[in-house]
Amino acid sequence: MVEAGEVLTEDSDIEIKMLPCRVSGLQRLANNVMGLTLKIPEAAVFHYHAGQYIDILLRDGRRRSYSIANANQDQGLLELHIRHMPGGVFSEHVFTVLKEKDLLRFRGPYGAFVWRHESHRPAILVATGTGFAPIKALLEQAFSEKYKGPLHLYWGNRQQQDFYLLELLNGWQQMYDNFSFTPVLSKPLDSDDWKGRYGWVQDAVLADYPELSAYDVYASGSPEMVASAKAVFTERGLATDHYYSDAFVKAGD
Ligand SMILES: Cc1cc2nc3c(=O)[nH]c(=O)nc-3n(C[C@H](O)[C@H](O)[C@H](O)COP(=O)(O)OP(=O)(O)OC[C@H]3O[C@@H](n4cnc5c(N)ncnc54)[C@H](O)[C@@H]3O)c2cc1C
């Protein structure tokens, strides 16, 4: 079990493994986001904490990191949300070549961006783009543990078409009194006719929560948002060891 402030490293309680997996599903979640479902071999055991990520190992030796978007691996399935980077080595492959039953290899799990079971502070979860993937896993974990504290998700995207799994989020809002969701757009199209929150997602949090000393914040997605959110939230009283983040930095190759 992971305590607040603890850092999970490769020496953590979970064994890092290299495993083959088979593509068992490809689903277009949004115009530029593919949901990829990977099936782990039945004989293999793979444990991870909700919020962690794996490295997909490419044939040429390069690797690309992707957050696991589901908390529980039902029937050995891992869910990834992959944003299309035009010309990108792996994401282009996913959008143009990869098909069901193809084999991939991965190594993991990695990362310290995990649900803090022991914290009783209310949680604010902040995502941009596919930064929603590990946050979805954290929320599933919190719900499965019957966490009763407030969980407020802010998800920032450029345009309305970039959101996905909204039915799931709306369903969670109906099902769980302690969960709320605020979508935020930074560059809405005229056709969006957007009447909701506008601007940077971290600014939307600040507008609603002027004082953050009593909170945990989980932030995931663009490195710019993750860095900016840390700076502005700590100015508003958030303790740095109550700020948990996962920045989707570019691969170094
Ligand atoms: C811990 C971690 C978790 C991640 N989880 C996810 C996830 O769940 N879903 C997801 O879609 N991505 C995630 N990423 C990003 C992912 O690892 C790849 O960087 C991304 O998919 C691009 O890989 P590619 O091979 O398609 O593009 P590349 O061939 O690496 O790059 C192609 C072009 O895109 C640009 N580019 C690459 N990455 C970025 C970036 N992050 N921001 C801006 N420009 C970029 C490059 O500069 C280049 O011009 C994660 C990264 C990290 C470090």
Side-chain angles (χ1 to χ4, degrees), residues 4-5 119 121 212-218 238-244:
S119 170
R121 286 179 290 278
L212 287 164
S213 60
Y215 290 84
D216 280 339
V217 174
Y218 297 84
L238 181 73
T240 49
D241 57 352
H242 296 163
Y243 181 74
Y244 312 109

Side-chain angles (χ1 to χ4, degrees), residues 20-26 36-40 59 90 93-94 96-105:
C21 58
R22 204 170 277 285
V23 175
S24 76
L26 282 158
L36 184 59
T37 311
L38 303 177
K39 173 103 177 100
I40 298 167
R59 289 221 172 106
F90 185 66
H93 179 76
V94 169
T96 56
V97 178
L98 198 70
K99 55 187 188 320
E100 277 189 32
K101 301 200 171 124
D102 280 357
L103 274 177
L104 292 171
R105 277 186 319 139

Side-chain angles (χ1 to χ4, degrees), residues 166-178:
L166 289 179
E167 279 177 24
L168 175 77
L169 291 174
N170 291 332
W172 282 350
Q173 289 200 103
Q174 311 275 321
M175 209 179 313
Y176 302 108
D177 289 344
N178 59 334

Side-chain angles (χ1 to χ4, degrees), residues 161-192:
Q161 63 186 4
D162 300 328
F163 288 109
Y164 55 90
L165 296 181
L166 289 179
E167 279 177 24
L168 175 77
L169 291 174
N170 291 332
W172 282 350
Q173 289 200 103
Q174 311 275 321
M175 209 179 313
Y176 302 108
D177 289 344
N178 59 334
F179 173 67
S180 50
F181 166 48
T182 302
V184 184
L185 288 190
S186 60
K187 291 187 181 158
L189 300 169
D190 288 345
S191 56
D192 283 334

Side-chain angles (χ1 to χ4, degrees), residues 1-14 16 49 52-53 109-117 218 230 240-246:
M1 192 158 282
V2 180
E3 309 286 339
E6 186 183 344
V7 174
L8 276 185
T9 66
E10 298 201 8
D11 302 324
S12 84
D13 54 329
I14 288 192
I16 292 171
H49 291 294
Q52 289 192 292
Y53 66 93
Y110 298 108
F113 188 65
V114 298
W115 179 246
R116 306 287 153 163
H117 307 262
Y218 297 84
K230 182 175 186 181
T240 49
D241 57 352
H242 296 163
Y243 181 74
Y244 312 109
S245 63
D246 211 10

